[in-house]
């Protein structure tokens, strides 16, 4: 069964450190991309927002602090969790790092296990189903670890695309997603799929969710898209 991997952007100018991070994050099952400096990082985020950023403080030209500040100033990027890495251990620096809006702060040399745990904590907040959490909406329960969905006492059988659609909706009930947003999240931005395909899969998801009775929890928002609840 497929599930879109959480995406992590590493921003680190030292190649050896970058590779250690890449190796460990890929081993955890994340899709990893790397930037060597702050300018490159900001451009990459503009092209496609990652789910999380691991950002080194000490970078040439634009420092990690400045990159973080810029990301947290913009509406489209401020929700992306940033874990700041730093060799500076003084409390005042830690405070400064968190004041720029960094979501967490890890001091070098760090323990890989601890960093991975913190990455997971941040991702759980923004992509709960991608890290195997269980989500509940009214009588619908989705378990992202076992790929099981139940409604009341009934098991709901879903194809991989319908499962990912439902995960997306259940992560943010009430949020309206346009067809293009759903294509990006569920199919991925590199695949060309007609927007009408979204309607077809929404139809299948609706049918599966209401097969054993119960109201249709999906709402069609005219001219805008779809929402759960
Ligand atoms: Ca560095």
């Amino acid at each position: 069964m497929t599930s879109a991997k959480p995406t992590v952007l590493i921003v680190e100018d030292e190649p050896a450190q970058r590779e250690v991070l890449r190796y460990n994050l890929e081993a955890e099952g994340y899709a990893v991309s790397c930037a060597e400096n702050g300018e490159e990082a900001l451009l990459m985020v503009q092209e496609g927002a990652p789910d999380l950023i691991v950002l080194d403080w000490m970078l040439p030209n634009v420092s990690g602090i400045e990159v973080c500040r810029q990301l947290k100033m913009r509406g489209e990027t401020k929700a992306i969790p940033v874990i700041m890495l730093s060799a500076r251990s003084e409390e005042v620096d830690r405070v400064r790092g968190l004041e720029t809006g960094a979501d967490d702060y890890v001091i070098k040399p760090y323990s890989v296990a601890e960093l991975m745990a913190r990455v997971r904590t941040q991702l759980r907040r923004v992509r709960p189903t991608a890290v195997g959490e269980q989500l509940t909406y009214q009588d619908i329960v989705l378990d992202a670890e076992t790929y099981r969905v139940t409604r009341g006492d009934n098991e709901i059988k879903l194809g991989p695309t319908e499962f990912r659609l439902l995960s997306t909706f259940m992560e943010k009930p009430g949020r309206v997603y346009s067809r293009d947003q759903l294509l990006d999240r569920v199919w991925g931005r590199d695949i060309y799929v007609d927007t009408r395909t979204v309607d077809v899969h929404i139809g299948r998801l609706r049918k599966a969710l209401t097969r054993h009775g119960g109201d249709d929890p999906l709402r069609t928002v005219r001219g805008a898209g779809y929402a759960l609840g």
Side-chain angles (χ1 to χ4, degrees):
M1 185 86 69
T2 50
S3 168
K5 287 179 180 180
T7 52
V8 177
L9 172 65
I10 299 166
V11 192
E12 167 66 88
D13 57 315
E14 288 139 83
Q17 301 220 23
R18 205 163 55 228
E19 284 317 305
V20 168
L21 282 168
R22 180 203 282 279
Y23 175 84
N24 286 292
L25 288 162
E26 284 181 349
E28 292 281 309
Y30 306 129
V32 177
S33 52
C34 295
E36 294 177 22
N37 56 56
E39 294 92 331
E40 194 187 354
L42 290 167
L43 278 173
M44 285 175 76
V45 171
Q46 234 168 32
E47 280 167 20
D51 292 315
L52 180 138
I53 301 172
V54 177
L55 177 62
D56 189 35
W57 179 314
M58 298 300 280
L59 295 169
N61 304 323
V62 185
S63 74
I65 284 283
E66 180 56 23
V67 172
C68 187
R69 205 181 60 79
Q70 292 196 28
L71 291 170
K72 295 296 180 183
M73 258 171 30
R74 297 187 198 146
E76 325 85 78
T77 54
K78 69 173 180 214
I80 305 169
V82 173
I83 299 180
M84 188 85 86
L85 298 180
S86 173
R88 300 155 173 252
S89 62
E90 282 121 58
E91 186 65 14
V92 58
D93 284 331
R94 201 184 78 83
V95 169
R96 208 175 135 219
L98 293 173
E99 267 177 359
T100 3
D103 298 270
D104 204 351
Y105 183 96
V106 174
I107 292 158
K108 288 178 176 179
Y110 54 83
S111 112
V112 169
E114 190 197 337
L115 179 61
M116 294 305 134
R118 292 189 185 208
V119 165
R120 206 178 152 81
T121 301
Q122 293 298 328
L123 284 172
R124 191 175 291 138
R125 223 160 40 78
V126 288
R127 292 282 311 276
T129 57
V131 291
E133 294 289 292
Q134 183 172 297
L135 296 181
T136 303
Y137 176 77
Q138 294 178 354
D139 57 348
I140 303 169
V141 178
L142 179 146
D143 189 318
E145 202 157 73
T146 58
Y147 286 100
R148 282 190 73 210
V149 176
T150 54
R151 183 167 195 188
D153 298 327
N154 299 299
E155 176 150 13
I156 305 286
K157 297 270 184 214
L158 296 178
T161 304
E162 286 71 40
F163 184 87
R164 277 161 65 173
L165 269 174
L166 184 61
S167 308
T168 302
F169 286 124
M170 286 185 73
E171 283 180 351
K172 286 212 164 60
R175 174 177 163 175
V176 180
Y177 289 92
S178 69
R179 289 172 179 79
D180 282 321
Q181 285 169 335
L182 289 172
L183 279 176
D184 262 11
R185 290 200 149 230
V186 175
W187 282 264
R189 60 177 65 223
D190 301 331
I191 298 166
Y192 178 75
V193 183
D194 194 282
T195 49
R196 267 169 296 185
T197 306
V198 176
D199 301 337
V200 172
H201 287 276
I202 290 278
R204 285 187 198 157
L205 177 58
R206 282 194 155 125
K207 208 167 158 187
L209 289 173
T210 54
R211 180 159 294 148
H212 305 282
D215 292 339
D216 177 3
L218 294 173
R219 185 160 53 95
T220 304
V221 185
R222 203 178 288 272
Y226 297 101
L228 179 69

